[in-house]
């Protein structure tokens, strides 16, 4: 725990404010605000502070999609026009194509992200793929060299690499040098009165590829998804989501509405071209509620993570006296959400694949006495003046022993970090914190 605190405090020098939350087996064990929620007025961060959670909003939206699917109100494989006829039917290279909800949640729809130029997108993807191949080739060589030297040794090497990478990332001041934030559509100031209205930004643009053939991360795909949720539920998307948040006891999770009075809301910051801390520019996120438009606290995100983890594990515990309540979702639904989808990729975790609005790393160990890869799910977020991560590390349950334990789900570690500065890489920090608390938990069990 001390190492985890030190890891977070070291970011405080360049990040105005940061929130950290950790739960172990469903109990919140660490919730803290460090630095400033409002630099100008010297308002300190506290656990109740709310910030932009950016793309973690996609995970919240996926919960709504899954619930509607379970209730039989939403067909994941039907054309989106079944629910949203306002979205035009698409043609790719002269062929009529179909976009489904299943493709939207895994970024396989072909709908563009903020970059409109397909040539630039292809160039960036090729560059990323080349870098990935070089990294994997280097990893394979190191793996062969380290075989037989023990799990602890290889883990130390991996942690050193993560530390070096993170140090390098810290030395480059956050809030700058992120090409994505050069896109004009990140800074839209127009307020959209409905999710249907916000479709006009991209609905008539050509697809970048045939749906289902390639992966392209797209927040606009989730804007279309919000329209699907609205029609499938028979309620305004925002109303449906806010009701779901109440059901999940997430009372601090709200729309990032500039006009509303939202208590404990932090201000957002960036560094300008001269390297000076300045207020982030005004933006209106009503065009992307589903993909990046919610505010939340670390406490609420831990509740959300635990609701998912409980749902995922509930089926593995024997319900002898019918005392175990059902999860918000069925175990099989969460398992589906956390199953890696072919042809996908994850920019923030080279070990992972994208699933359904979550990045998932599967359990893996290639050689004896070598590195073990744990199963976990995560999502990061980047917004104007904000960065975030939510990571769920489920406990590896023993099927033979689970029925005899005097315990109940959720079992595992959940970590969330939010800060009021954009372009801050938080995933590896969250994973380190999760591992630290998991090791501490294991040591207590042995003791």
């Amino acid at each position: 725990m001390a190492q985890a605190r030190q890891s977070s405090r070291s970011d405080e020098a360049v990040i105005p404010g940061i929130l950290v939350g950790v739960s172990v087996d469903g109990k919140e064990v660490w919730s803290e605000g460090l630095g400033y929620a409002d630099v100008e007025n010297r308002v300190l961060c506290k656990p109740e502070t709310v910030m932009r959670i950016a793309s973690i909003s996609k995970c919240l939206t996926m919960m709504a999609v899954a619930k509607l699917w379970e209730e039989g109100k939403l067909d994941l494989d039907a054309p989106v026009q079944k629910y949203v006829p306002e979205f035009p039917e698409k043609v790719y290279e002269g062929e009529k194509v179909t976009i489904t909800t299943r493709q939207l949640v895994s970024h396989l729809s072909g709908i563009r992200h903020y970059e409109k130029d397909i040539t630039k997108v292809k160039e960036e993807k090729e560059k990323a793929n080349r870098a990935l191949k070089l990294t994997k080739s280097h990893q394979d060589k190191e793996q062969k060299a380290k075989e037989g030297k023990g799990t602890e040794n290889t883990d130390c090497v991996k942690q050193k690499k993560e530390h070096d990478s993170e140090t390098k990332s810290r030395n480059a001041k956050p809030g700058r040098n992120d090409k994505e934030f050069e896109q004009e559509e990140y800074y839209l100031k127009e307020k959209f009165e409905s999710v249907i209205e916000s479709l006009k930004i991209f609905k008539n643009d050509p697809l970048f590829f045939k749906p289902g053939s390639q992966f392209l991360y797209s927040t606009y795909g989730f804007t279309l998804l919000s329209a699907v949720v609205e029609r499938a539920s028979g309620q305004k998307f925002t109303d449906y989501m806010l009701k779901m948040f109440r059901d999940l006891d997430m009372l601090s999770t709200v729309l990032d509405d500039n006009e509303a009075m939202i208590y404990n809301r932090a201000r957002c910051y960036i560094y300008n071209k001269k390297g000076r801390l300045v207020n982030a520019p005004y933006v209106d996120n009503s065009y992307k509620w589903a993909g990046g438009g919610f505010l939340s606290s670390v406490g609420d995100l831990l509740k959300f993570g635990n609701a998912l983890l409980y749902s995922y594990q509930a089926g593995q515990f024997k319900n002898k006296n019918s005392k175990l309540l059902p999860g918000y979702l069925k175990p099989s639904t969460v398992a589906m959400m956390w199953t890696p989808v072919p042809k996908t990729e994850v920019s923030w975790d080279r070990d992972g694949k994208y699933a359904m609005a979550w990045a998932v790393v599967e359990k893996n160990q290639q050689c004896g006495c070598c590195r073990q890869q744990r199963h976990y799910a995560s999502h990061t977020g980047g917004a104007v003046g904000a960065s975030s991560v939510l990571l769920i590390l489920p406990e590896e349950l023993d099927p033979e022993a689970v029925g005899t334990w005097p315990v109940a789900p959720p079992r595992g570690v959940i970590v969330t970090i939010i800060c009021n500065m954009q372009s801050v890489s938080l995933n590896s920090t969250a994973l380190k914190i999760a591992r630290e608390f998991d090791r501490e938990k294991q040591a207590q069990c042995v003791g």
Side-chain angles (χ1 to χ4, degrees):
M1 185 168 175
Q3 289 178 15
R5 286 176 183 270
Q6 189 177 4
S7 175
S8 294
R9 287 186 195 280
S10 59
D11 275 338
E12 206 174 346
V14 287
I15 298 170
I18 190 166
L19 312 173
V20 185
V22 179
S23 77
V24 178
D25 297 343
K27 295 178 181 178
E28 188 178 292
V29 296
W30 182 18
S31 182
E32 188 172 5
L34 304 165
Y36 289 99
D38 183 336
V39 175
E40 290 165 293
N41 295 300
R42 315 311 278 174
V43 178
L44 293 169
C45 285
K46 54 186 178 180
E48 297 79 20
T49 300
V50 296
M51 293 185 180
R52 287 175 175 160
I53 61 170
S55 286
I56 295 176
S57 301
K58 294 178 172 70
C59 303
L60 306 185
T61 301
M62 184 62 222
M63 182 80 103
V65 169
K67 193 68 172 174
L68 290 167
W69 176 74
E70 282 189 351
E71 293 170 348
K73 296 178 180 178
L74 199 166
D75 184 347
L76 293 174
D77 299 304
V80 292
Q81 287 81 8
K82 175 181 177 180
Y83 305 100
V84 192
E86 294 88 345
F87 189 78
E89 292 188 351
K90 292 293 180 179
V91 173
Y92 183 77
E93 294 184 347
E95 177 189 356
K96 183 180 175 182
V97 294
T98 299
I99 296 174
T100 67
T101 300
R102 192 182 297 276
Q103 291 166 344
L104 290 175
V105 299
S106 297
H107 302 287
L108 295 169
S109 69
I111 293 172
R112 72 174 177 88
H113 194 37
Y114 299 113
E115 176 59 72
K116 296 179 182 180
D117 189 337
I118 189 169
T119 305
K120 288 183 180 178
V121 171
K122 285 181 176 177
E123 286 174 357
E124 286 297 319
K125 285 196 80 170
E126 286 171 6
K127 194 185 297 182
N129 287 335
R130 283 197 300 270
L132 187 63
K133 284 178 182 176
L134 285 171
T135 303
K136 283 187 175 178
S137 175
H138 184 67
Q139 280 181 322
D140 290 342
K141 287 177 183 176
E142 285 199 340
Q143 180 73 13
K144 287 178 182 177
K146 299 293 178 184
E147 279 178 15
K149 291 189 178 182
T151 308
E152 189 176 337
N153 202 5
T154 50
D155 276 351
C156 287
V157 171
K158 184 174 187 291
Q159 286 174 13
K160 183 180 185 302
K161 275 186 181 177
E162 289 175 342
H163 175 75
D164 291 345
S165 172
E166 203 155 289
T167 302
K168 185 178 178 183
S169 174
R170 281 199 198 103
N171 289 339
K173 189 170 281 188
R176 302 174 65 189
N177 302 324
D178 192 328
K179 287 187 178 181
E180 185 164 304
F181 286 97
E182 294 173 5
Q183 302 301 323
E184 290 181 3
E185 287 177 348
Y186 244 111
Y187 303 95
L188 293 181
K189 295 173 174 58
E190 180 182 353
K191 182 169 184 177
F192 291 88
E193 296 301 326
S194 70
V195 295
I196 299 295
E197 185 188 355
S198 62
L199 297 178
K200 71 179 183 181
I201 300 170
F202 62 92
K203 71 177 184 179
N204 294 317
D205 294 340
L207 297 181
F208 276 19
F209 53 79
K210 184 178 179 179
S213 67
Q214 293 182 48
F215 177 89
L216 177 66
Y217 191 89
S218 172
T219 290
Y220 287 138
F222 273 71
T223 297
L224 176 55
L225 186 64
S226 65
V228 171
V229 169
E230 183 163 294
R231 293 292 171 72
S233 67
Q235 301 176 45
K236 278 185 67 176
F237 172 74
T238 51
D239 290 344
Y240 185 84
M241 294 301 292
L242 291 173
K243 181 184 180 302
M244 186 184 81
F245 298 153
R246 286 195 298 274
D247 291 342
L248 295 169
D249 198 29
M250 297 168 60
L251 304 181
S252 297
T253 306
V254 294
L255 302 171
D256 185 8
D257 184 346
N258 293 307
E259 295 175 4
M261 297 295 292
I262 299 171
Y263 295 108
N264 299 316
R265 173 162 36 180
R267 299 196 69 166
C268 300
Y269 300 95
I270 61 170
Y271 282 95
N272 65 15
K273 292 178 180 178
K274 295 180 180 178
R276 292 175 182 165
L277 184 72
V278 296
N279 289 307
Y282 177 92
V283 293
D284 191 305
N285 285 324
S286 58
Y287 71 103
K288 58 173 182 180
W289 295 132
F294 294 113
L295 303 172
S296 192
S297 64
V298 289
D300 270 15
L301 291 182
L302 291 179
K303 288 178 182 178
F304 175 72
N306 277 311
L308 266 175
L309 186 56
Y310 183 101
S311 298
Y312 180 62
Q313 295 176 330
Q316 299 176 56
F317 286 79
K318 292 180 181 178
N319 194 2
K320 293 180 179 178
N321 301 314
S322 300
K323 291 181 180 178
L324 195 63
L325 293 170
Y328 188 78
L329 297 175
K330 296 173 184 176
S332 58
T333 302
V334 185
M336 175 184 72
M337 287 166 52
W338 286 352
T339 298
V341 175
K343 301 178 184 176
T344 64
E345 59 199 56
V346 177
S347 61
W348 62 86
D349 195 328
R350 62 183 176 219
D351 291 327
K353 288 283 186 182
Y354 209 82
M356 300 176 81
W358 284 90
V360 176
V361 171
E362 292 188 291
K363 181 180 178 180
N364 183 37
Q365 185 176 9
Q366 294 182 347
C367 305
C369 292
C370 290
R371 179 187 164 219
Q372 295 181 21
Q373 190 169 280
R374 284 279 299 276
H375 168 237
Y376 61 89
S378 73
H379 212 295
T380 61
V384 175
S387 303
S388 61
V389 65
L390 174 61
L391 187 144
I392 302 175
L393 180 67
E395 181 177 315
E396 294 180 329
L397 300 174
D398 181 353
E400 298 298 321
V402 76
T404 63
W405 292 349
V407 293
R411 303 290 297 177
V413 180
I414 298 174
V415 177
T416 184
I417 309 172
I418 323 172
C419 68
N420 54 357
M421 168 61 65
Q422 71 190 38
S423 303
V424 181
S425 177
L426 297 170
N427 193 69
S428 61
T429 300
L431 184 55
K432 285 178 185 176
I433 292 173
R435 284 173 175 161
E436 187 69 25
F437 277 88
D438 185 63
R439 274 194 291 267
E440 188 175 315
K441 173 184 161 182
Q442 298 304 325
Q444 288 174 354
C445 289
V446 173

